[in-house]
Amino acid sequence: MHKTRVVIKPDTTPGIGLGHLYRCLSIISMIKDYFDCILYDSFPTKKIEQIASTYCKYEKGKQLFGSFLEFLNEDDIVLVDDYNINAKDELAIKQLKTMLVLIDDNFFRKYHADLIINHCPGIKPNQYNAPKSKLLLGLDYAILRPAFLAPIKSSNINNDNIFICFGGDDSKNLTSQTIKTLEKVSTQLNIKVVIGPRFANKNKLNTEIEKSKHNIELLASVNELEMAKLIHSSKLCIVACSSILIEVKAMGVPCIGIKYVNNQESIFNYFNIYDKSGIYIDNDKESFSVRLFNKAIKLDKPSNELIDKESGKRILNNFFDLRNKSKLILKEALSEDALTYFKLVNDPQVRKNSFQTDHITIKRHLTWFKNKILSKNSFLFLAKLNNVPCGQIRFDIDKQSAFVDISVAKNFRGKHLSPCIIELGIKMFKEKSKKNIPIIAEIKITNQKSINSFKRNNFIETKRKKINGFDSVILIHE
């Protein structure tokens, strides 16, 4: 089966660290089984090639943005994590008939992307000027590598270590400052320090380690599995308020989080309020101290984690939606579509999920279909994938609300089409009906896939009741 190509462009500019790269690699890990992923590196180095090649195909690109555009194909999904990309660049990518995804935590300009991912907690949709973008905001969309989405299995964890990591480059050398401060702690500590390949103060750090009374192990360029094990085996983590903090919280380990650059503010603010197993420091206002360390070392592991580890599935589902939307169209049903609907309505699975399970005769169907397409209160849309009928969605207005019905043809099940058909159907219904009214979905409780598809389109479960003797769920889209 042909896989849609996803071209990934992280900012790998020398001197900025590898945070953008690792966020992209995390997304690749979530989607690579279903998509053909290629990482485009504008500043290629052997180190980045070595890291990226373990995840996906690697393309040695050029610095010129025009060269990146030339690499793209129509129908590509383009994933960009690069602060240098502006609104004009977004439009240039979109003009190639691609679907554009941005990983972005700045929200200071107008955006044109199809999808924007910002896993920083506490961000509100109205902070973005992105009228045509779908926003995936907060920890429900935490960009975590696979090792942090799965439980760590270890039989000999001593939970006695202190873990320190301030990102790939640690521009302010907080690592050395933290170790220097820990020298004032009276007891001897086992400390694991992780630095990245672009850490610029290694000599100074080695000096601090050599004269330290603690047992300190310095680790460079640690892979994700080793990183997860290090965090999991730690009594306390001292980290930046960045993606590394979110990884620590996914493991449920107490921490000291230090904010030292502006784009860490939302993560700092959220965890400072809601995380009872952490102490958070704004480095512009307060310095790390032995007093704070002694307070943090007494923290217990949280019983309820703030991250549910389902973010990978949610992000993957949105990539499915992007792929399908580029090839899926909805059209108003016409009289010549009657037999297509007839085959669909008598499909065994459709009958099983219906509240009327009996076989429908052709005579009965033709009468019903004619009445529906002539009714001013019914809106029937036929879904086509690559111009082949693949399903239908119908809206029936009843007073001040509308009831929705959806079905997908047998040969198109398992392609994650339902959420996309629902999304496009709602939009088309509102355009054609000129109404903005509540939409109600009544679904058998046994049809969990359909329930999930509606919930992904912001349908809220309001109650459960029996319909024609079947236990059912009522969901409403306001």
Side-chain angles (χ1 to χ4, degrees):
M1 179 182 173
H2 170 73
K3 291 183 178 180
T4 298
R5 197 170 79 145
V6 180
V7 180
I8 302 99
K9 185 184 185 304
D11 185 356
T12 54
T13 305
I16 67 161
L18 297 177
H20 298 279
L21 173 66
Y22 281 118
R23 289 197 297 195
C24 286
L25 295 179
S26 297
I27 298 286
I28 290 169
S29 297
M30 297 171 183
I31 69 173
K32 65 181 181 180
D33 289 343
Y34 303 93
F35 295 87
D36 180 18
C37 297
I38 304 171
L39 190 135
Y40 184 97
D41 187 1
S42 297
F43 296 88
T45 63
K46 288 184 178 180
K47 184 62 182 178
I48 293 179
E49 181 177 5
Q50 182 183 5
I51 296 170
S53 296
T54 62
Y55 288 80
C56 67
K57 298 174 185 175
Y58 176 80
E59 178 70 22
K60 292 182 179 179
K62 299 178 181 179
Q63 296 180 26
L64 293 176
F65 183 69
S67 299
F68 175 64
L69 293 177
E70 290 175 1
F71 182 74
L72 301 178
N73 296 331
E74 184 177 328
D75 293 333
D76 282 347
I77 296 176
V78 182
L79 170 63
V80 176
D81 187 347
D82 188 340
Y83 294 149
N84 298 310
I85 295 292
N86 56 38
K88 183 179 178 181
D89 296 332
E90 285 186 59
L91 290 172
I93 294 172
K94 291 288 295 171
Q95 284 173 359
L96 298 174
K97 298 183 179 179
T98 65
M99 304 295 283
L100 177 60
V101 183
L102 291 184
I103 301 174
D104 185 277
D105 53 14
N106 279 328
F107 46 83
F108 61 84
R109 60 172 175 84
K110 187 171 183 178
Y111 293 86
H112 303 281
D114 298 281
L115 194 67
I116 298 175
I117 306 172
N118 182 353
H119 69 181
C120 296
I123 302 298
K124 304 297 183 185
N126 61 10
Q127 291 177 258
Y128 276 95
N129 181 8
K132 295 184 179 181
S133 305
K134 184 174 182 180
L135 304 176
L136 307 186
L137 307 179
L139 295 176
D140 279 349
Y141 302 97
I143 303 173
L144 294 168
R145 291 175 282 177
F148 299 93
L149 289 170
I152 298 295
K153 297 179 181 179
S154 180
S155 57
N156 55 0
I157 295 175
N158 59 30
N159 289 319
D160 191 37
N161 298 322
I162 306 300
F163 174 85
I164 299 173
C165 182
F166 288 98
D169 62 342
D170 184 12
S171 59
K172 295 192 176 181
N173 197 20
L174 292 179
T175 305
S176 296
Q177 295 175 37
T178 301
I179 289 174
K180 192 172 183 179
T181 300
L182 290 176
E183 285 302 303
K184 301 174 185 177
V185 175
S186 57
T187 57
Q188 190 179 53
L189 304 171
N190 296 317
I191 301 174
K192 307 288 185 180
V193 178
V194 173
I195 59 174
R198 291 177 173 172
F199 184 77
N201 296 286
K202 196 169 183 179
N203 290 336
K204 186 174 182 179
L205 177 59
N206 280 327
T207 300
E208 294 292 341
I209 291 174
E210 286 172 5
K211 64 183 183 182
S212 175
K213 68 183 178 186
H214 302 304
N215 298 319
I216 301 177
E217 182 179 4
L218 180 61
L219 303 158
S221 303
V222 173
N223 67 41
E224 66 177 81
L225 186 58
E226 292 169 340
M227 181 76 89
K229 287 181 178 178
L230 284 168
I231 292 171
H232 187 62
S233 63
S234 296
K235 186 175 184 179
L236 177 72
C237 295
I238 305 173
V239 297
C241 289
S242 60
S243 294
I244 182 66
L245 174 62
I246 293 176
E247 291 179 337
V248 169
K249 292 292 98 179
M251 306 299 290
V253 179
C255 74
I256 295 176
I258 301 178
K259 167 191 168 285
Y260 66 92
V261 291
N262 289 336
N263 66 357
Q264 296 172 355
E265 186 169 359
S266 61
I267 294 179
F268 167 81
N269 289 337
Y270 179 87
F271 284 107
N272 193 35
I273 294 171
Y274 295 106
D275 181 26
K276 305 305 179 186
S277 64
I279 291 174
Y280 295 93
I281 303 168
D282 185 340
N283 197 56
D284 292 333
K285 299 176 182 178
E286 183 180 13
S287 297
F288 173 63
S289 65
V290 174
R291 178 185 63 82
L292 292 174
F293 173 81
N294 288 333
K295 183 178 178 181
I297 207 72
K298 297 176 183 178
L299 294 170
D300 293 324
K301 281 196 174 185
S303 56
N304 295 314
E305 296 173 4
L306 294 170
I307 299 168
D308 65 11
K309 298 191 178 183
E310 295 294 315
S311 59
K313 295 178 183 178
R314 297 186 185 104
I315 290 173
L316 174 61
N317 283 333
N318 278 277
F319 271 79
F320 285 142
D321 290 349
L322 286 179
R323 178 194 66 187
N324 292 334
K325 274 196 283 190
S326 68
K327 301 173 182 177
L328 185 73
I329 61 168
L330 262 60
K331 71 175 215 49
E332 288 186 271
L334 304 173
S335 57
E336 55 260 36
D337 297 316
L339 290 181
T340 299
Y341 271 75
F342 179 67
K343 292 177 183 178
L344 185 57
V345 76
N346 275 316
D347 177 273
Q349 190 65 39
V350 174
R351 300 291 355 113
K352 179 182 177 182
N353 291 329
S354 174
F355 294 112
Q356 300 286 346
T357 59
D358 295 341
H359 177 83
I360 296 173
T361 65
I362 185 66
K363 181 178 179 181
R364 176 184 168 192
H365 170 74
L366 291 175
T367 300
W368 173 89
F369 189 78
K370 181 179 179 180
N371 290 337
K372 285 293 181 184
I373 62 173
L374 292 176
S375 172
K376 293 182 180 180
N377 290 322
S378 293
F379 297 81
L380 284 68
F381 305 119
L382 182 64
K384 290 186 173 185
L385 187 69
N386 294 324
N387 211 33
V388 179
C390 63
Q392 66 82 32
I393 187 166
R394 185 182 81 250
F395 299 86
D396 293 314
I397 296 175
D398 181 13
K399 298 178 181 178
Q400 296 303 312
S401 60
F403 288 82
V404 61
D405 173 87
I406 183 176
S407 49
V408 175
K410 180 180 179 180
N411 291 341
F412 292 89
R413 291 172 195 151
K415 298 182 184 294
H416 309 273
L417 291 175
S418 291
C420 195
I421 293 174
I422 294 168
E423 180 184 346
L424 295 177
I426 291 172
K427 181 179 179 181
M428 201 164 179
F429 167 68
K430 290 182 176 180
E431 289 175 355
K432 298 295 182 181
S433 68
K434 309 296 183 187
K435 294 182 181 293
N436 188 16
I437 57 177
I439 300 171
I440 301 170
E442 297 177 334
I443 309 170
K444 284 183 177 179
I445 203 167
T446 54
N447 192 359
Q448 190 60 49
K449 288 184 178 180
S450 184
I451 293 170
N452 291 341
S453 293
F454 279 97
K455 285 185 175 180
R456 281 185 53 203
N457 278 279
N458 300 317
F459 278 75
I460 306 298
E461 181 179 332
T462 57
K463 61 180 177 180
R464 300 189 175 194
K465 69 176 185 179
K466 284 191 178 293
I467 299 177
N468 291 349
F470 297 104
D471 291 327
S472 307
V473 175
I474 312 302
L475 302 106
I476 296 180
H477 182 285
E478 297 288 352

